[in-house]
Amino acid sequence: MQKLFKYVRESQIWKSVFRHGYPDTPRNRTLAVLSNVFLHLHPVKVRRSGIRLSYTWCMGGLTFFLFLILTLTGLLLMFYYRPTADRAYEDIFALREHVPIGVMREMHRWGAHLMVISVWLHMYRVFLTGSYKPPREFNWNVGVILLVLTLLLSFTGYLLPWDQLAVWAITVGTNMARATPLLGHEGPLASALSFGGIDFIHAGDDVRFGLLAGRFVGEGALLRFYVLHCVGFPLIAATLMAVHFWRVRKDGGISGPL
Amino acid sequence: MHSLLASMLPGPLCAAALPVGGGGGHVDDGPVAAALKHAANWLTEPTRYSVASILGLIAVLYFRRFFSKVWVVTVFFALSTAFFVFAFQDPNFNAIITKPDNVPIIILFATVVFFSWLALRRAVINDERTKRGEPTLEGELAKQKVFTWPDLVYSELICLVLFTAAMLVWSILITAPIEEPAATARTPNPSKAPWYFLGLQELLVYFDPWIAGVLLPSFIIVGLCAIPYIDTNPKGNGYYTFEERPFAISFFWVGFLLFWVSFVILGTFLRGPNWSFFGPFEYWDLHKLEPMVNVDLSTWVWVDILGKPRPDNPFVREAPGIVLLIGYFLVLPPLLGKTVMRKMVTDMGMIRFNVFMHLFLWFVLIPIKMGLRWTVNLKYFIGMPEYFFNV
């Protein structure tokens, strides 16, 4: 057995993948982090305060992990879901009726709820430890945009089951856009944008119409939300996460007294 | 009210913290149970709850050394659990609490209470250490550096495995709900936004959509982004503290705990049909009506005080409100900057001070308007439905 392990570890294939020995010496531990594209998001060494749960609450890491879970389960759900008004509800319903112990939709739904909570708690911790202070001002701002993206991801996903809860929650949410100043047809100053008695802003061209691709939550809105939910927002969020993690390292590492 | 965080979250738990001993009662039995439920319904009424929670938060911050003790939070969680077990047997409470989509709200409640307590505790310890001239808890640990592999990588792996296991168990135990197919002709009552926006939906009671749904969320985002540039206090960077930044921490607690989180919980559990308020043990009656007797500021000034009909020109009619709000937003900041807040202006500079004051005044306008609605039934400061401009 020992011989076999030794043989495998000295083979050309193994060595081509792993450039270092087992990480039990300082040199190999350093190499383990440096030579791995995923691990090298971390620095080689961290402050002891940065790995204490009572200090960090692990909420940022959990948020990222939830994003990965949601990407994976979301990808699987996409195989069984057609974003049209005739099919969407049926497909989700079938997922429950025909799959024994199916957990993908459950993981996706509960995970999405949890991700909103974990983002809030992460920001709460960052605020309470003053970790937004110089030199981390910019990264806090990236974080705020990621918070907004998390809410938008959750909000666009809310519509996709196409049941009463979904449609009416999105109706309530997007009704606010009617009242956008200048750009919503029931907003203040919208009537100022009229010319010779013709309103430029009306129910058929205001912000809400743009969000929903129609005057009410219908097929156009479903497709629009689906594309944003599955492609648009995740891409932006993933990009900004890369920036966020990079700046955590560049701005002094996992938070701790500087 | 002796439990630290009872004050931050809705009344059922505040009420539970006082009288204990109510056994498992049903809707119509047991004088103790009935009294307890009545007390909970009474205390969660928005006016009383808001006043109690503000007083509670002040008490928690003032007596923070007491509230940060371990046994205090243990007692609080024990009482909360006891209350939940007791309340669970009530059909009205049960109906709302056991909805699968409301499980995360319970998690939100528990985690926010726990982490607030944890942060307060560490702040109290750190402040004492600083007073004695010792380094903070984090400061002491930060001097040591450890290898990412294995210390950090392994704890990440353990978190990941445990968390995945928990998610799987939750997903197997509770099936994701699906309601009836979408029907644009049938409006459910109540119609609620997704739970994380319920704080904004709650504000619709007091403000028009253009403020509650557009302006305030924009200000929240802008305000969050502005925090690191406005807060010029260099202390408290990277460790928990209260005494080194009392204003920043108190302000954030009021905003996050009293407004954001507790409005989410209020909106989820205590707002029923027609967005009427229902105590935790109240039946969601479709026909509960709340009298609408709200009056505009202009009516109050022209009709009640001056004793004549309101003028036809909307700008003349709404002049009192316009003057009032211009005074509030444009005259108040320089006035305060010249007098009470002079030191702030010199510390922060004019631009920071003005940005901060305007965000702050918008934030303060929320409790002001809520208070005026409850006390004198104020509807709008400025009510110009002609231009959809109601404040």
Side-chain angles (χ1 to χ4, degrees):
Chain A
M1 208 58 181
Q2 289 284 334
K3 245 182 170 175
L4 184 69
F5 277 142
K6 196 163 183 281
Y7 177 75
V8 169
R9 261 197 254 131
E10 283 172 4
S11 68
Q12 192 183 356
I13 297 177
W14 180 274
K15 281 186 163 177
S16 71
V17 180
F18 300 103
R19 298 292 194 195
H20 55 81
Y22 189 77
D24 51 3
T25 61
R27 181 173 181 279
N28 281 338
R29 284 177 172 174
T30 308
L31 283 174
V33 173
L34 285 182
S35 63
N36 182 310
V37 69
F38 303 108
L39 288 181
H40 102 285
L41 276 173
H42 300 109
V44 172
K45 281 184 154 193
V46 287
R47 293 194 200 91
R48 198 176 273 282
S49 60
I51 58 170
R52 279 291 159 88
L53 281 183
S54 57
Y55 174 73
T56 65
W57 308 353
C58 197
M59 281 302 157
L62 220 51
T63 306
F64 178 55
F65 181 55
L66 276 165
F67 181 76
L68 296 182
I69 289 188
L70 291 168
T71 309
L72 187 75
T73 53
L75 197 78
L76 291 171
L77 288 172
M78 280 172 79
F79 288 129
Y80 300 98
Y81 177 80
R82 287 162 288 186
T84 64
D86 315 336
R87 299 287 185 184
Y89 181 80
E90 263 177 39
D91 286 348
I92 296 292
F93 200 77
L95 218 51
R96 187 172 78 174
E97 295 301 300
H98 302 324
V99 184
I101 332 178
V103 291
M104 284 305 140
R105 189 164 103 81
E106 279 72 18
M107 292 266 273
H108 200 74
R109 186 158 179 144
W110 307 142
H113 284 316
L114 276 190
M115 187 168 161
V116 173
I117 296 175
S118 65
V119 169
W120 289 1
L121 290 174
H122 174 60
M123 294 185 78
Y124 189 30
R125 194 279 294 172
V126 170
F127 186 91
L128 290 177
T129 57
S131 303
Y132 57 82
K133 297 191 176 193
R136 298 195 182 89
E137 308 102 309
F138 175 70
N139 216 12
W140 165 267
N141 276 269
V142 176
V144 172
I145 299 169
L146 281 168
L147 162 78
V148 175
L149 279 169
T150 307
L151 295 178
L152 285 175
L153 273 165
S154 184
F155 187 66
T156 46
Y158 219 92
L159 181 64
L160 303 185
W162 205 245
D163 60 350
Q164 280 288 70
L165 181 75
V167 169
W168 286 97
I170 301 306
T171 305
V172 171
T174 49
N175 267 345
M176 298 297 110
R178 271 179 221 255
T180 312
L182 277 175
L183 301 175
H185 74 281
E186 285 175 10
L189 297 175
S191 51
L193 290 182
S194 66
F195 195 71
I198 302 164
D199 287 335
F200 282 155
I201 300 293
H202 51 80
D205 70 351
D206 67 348
V207 188
R208 183 169 188 271
F209 190 90
L211 283 174
L212 294 181
R215 286 164 200 260
F216 55 89
V217 180
E219 186 133 42
L222 180 59
L223 185 60
R224 201 160 277 207
F225 275 44
Y226 175 76
V227 172
L228 287 174
H229 183 75
C230 300
V231 186
F233 292 143
L235 276 179
I236 305 174
T239 312
L240 283 176
M241 273 181 223
V243 177
H244 197 62
F245 301 155
W246 184 242
R247 286 302 287 251
V248 169
R249 280 197 59 185
K250 291 290 134 185
D251 295 342
I254 302 178
S255 173
L258 293 170
Chain B
M1 176 165 319
H2 52 259
S3 192
L4 153 70
L5 301 146
S7 52
M8 298 169 190
L9 286 154
L13 300 164
C14 304
L18 300 171
V20 199
H26 227 282
V27 206
D28 49 7
D29 59 6
V32 183
L36 201 58
K37 288 177 180 181
H38 184 75
N41 285 341
W42 184 82
L43 201 69
T44 41
E45 191 274 323
T47 322
R48 295 187 195 105
Y49 163 70
S50 302
V51 174
S53 61
I54 289 168
L55 294 177
L57 185 63
I58 294 171
V60 166
L61 289 176
Y62 191 77
F63 299 109
R64 56 188 175 281
R65 293 179 67 169
F66 169 75
F67 284 110
S68 65
K69 292 198 164 77
V70 177
W71 70 264
V72 175
V73 80
T74 314
V75 167
F76 172 72
F77 270 109
L79 288 176
S80 305
T81 316
F83 178 76
F84 262 91
V85 171
F86 156 71
F88 223 67
Q89 297 158 33
D90 181 277
N92 296 318
F93 187 85
N94 196 298
I96 182 73
I97 218 85
T98 49
K99 277 179 73 177
D101 275 319
N102 287 348
V103 173
I105 316 293
I106 314 258
I107 295 177
L108 174 74
F109 169 77
T111 47
V112 164
V113 171
F114 173 73
F115 283 122
S116 303
W117 171 81
L118 184 66
L120 187 75
R121 176 175 174 77
R122 291 180 74 95
V124 167
I125 295 174
N126 278 344
D127 286 340
E128 280 172 4
R129 282 169 152 253
T130 313
K131 255 183 234 157
R132 289 198 301 265
E134 295 168 14
T136 55
L137 292 169
E138 294 81 18
E140 203 157 86
L141 286 176
K143 283 182 223 144
Q144 310 167 31
K145 284 210 161 188
V146 291
F147 273 107
T148 294
W149 187 298
D151 293 66
L152 178 57
V153 181
Y154 275 46
S155 34
E156 281 174 346
L157 184 73
I158 293 167
C159 279
L160 194 147
V161 171
L162 290 179
F163 186 70
T164 311
M167 285 289 295
L168 273 170
V169 171
W170 182 6
S171 299
I172 291 169
L173 286 182
I174 304 181
T175 311
I178 183 155
E179 296 187 355
E180 286 164 37
T184 31
R186 271 184 297 120
T187 315
N189 190 2
S191 283
K192 291 186 181 181
W195 61 269
Y196 34 83
F197 290 146
L198 287 184
L200 299 170
Q201 199 173 351
E202 176 68 17
L203 291 183
L204 281 175
V205 177
Y206 307 98
F207 292 97
D208 270 21
W210 75 279
I211 295 184
V214 183
L215 221 57
L216 288 176
S218 312
F219 282 152
I220 293 173
I221 295 168
V222 172
L224 283 172
C225 285
I227 284 175
Y229 304 100
I230 289 174
D231 182 1
T232 49
N233 177 4
K235 286 182 184 163
N237 187 344
Y239 53 93
Y240 295 96
T241 173
F242 178 75
E243 281 167 28
E244 292 180 13
R245 38 200 292 253
F247 178 74
I249 302 271
S250 316
F251 184 55
F252 199 80
W253 272 30
V254 170
F256 183 65
L257 299 176
L258 294 193
F259 282 82
W260 194 253
V261 174
S262 75
F263 276 10
V264 166
I265 292 171
L266 173 75
T268 310
F269 296 128
L270 305 178
R271 286 290 184 184
N274 310 319
W275 204 253
S276 296
F277 171 81
F278 291 88
F281 299 105
E282 233 175 294
Y283 170 67
W284 279 21
D285 183 2
L286 268 171
H287 305 292
K288 178 174 180 173
L289 283 179
E290 288 175 3
M292 298 284 271
V293 287
N294 299 330
V295 185
D296 283 352
L297 181 68
S298 55
T299 312
W300 193 57
V301 170
W302 292 106
V303 182
D304 294 351
I305 296 180
L306 300 176
K308 45 179 153 180
R310 299 200 303 172
D312 286 336
N313 185 326
F315 291 95
V316 179
R317 186 188 71 212
E318 300 301 331
I322 294 172
V323 170
L324 196 71
L325 284 186
I326 286 181
Y328 181 73
F329 281 112
L330 296 180
V331 180
L332 200 58
L335 205 68
L336 287 172
K338 283 265 188 307
T339 54
V340 197
M341 298 185 172
R342 178 177 294 221
K343 191 170 171 299
M344 251 174 108
V345 180
T346 42
D347 286 352
M348 297 167 77
M350 276 313 277
I351 296 176
R352 284 199 186 90
F353 178 77
N354 275 305
V355 171
F356 165 74
M357 275 314 279
H358 280 96
L359 291 167
F360 184 71
L361 288 176
W362 269 105
F363 176 73
V364 176
L365 191 65
I366 299 170
I368 289 180
K369 180 120 190 235
M370 288 167 75
L372 288 173
R373 178 67 60 83
W374 296 333
T375 49
V376 295
N377 292 315
L378 177 84
K379 191 173 184 196
Y380 294 125
F381 292 108
I382 301 173
M384 288 201 245
E386 297 92 338
Y387 305 101
F388 297 117
F389 189 85
N390 304 313
V391 182

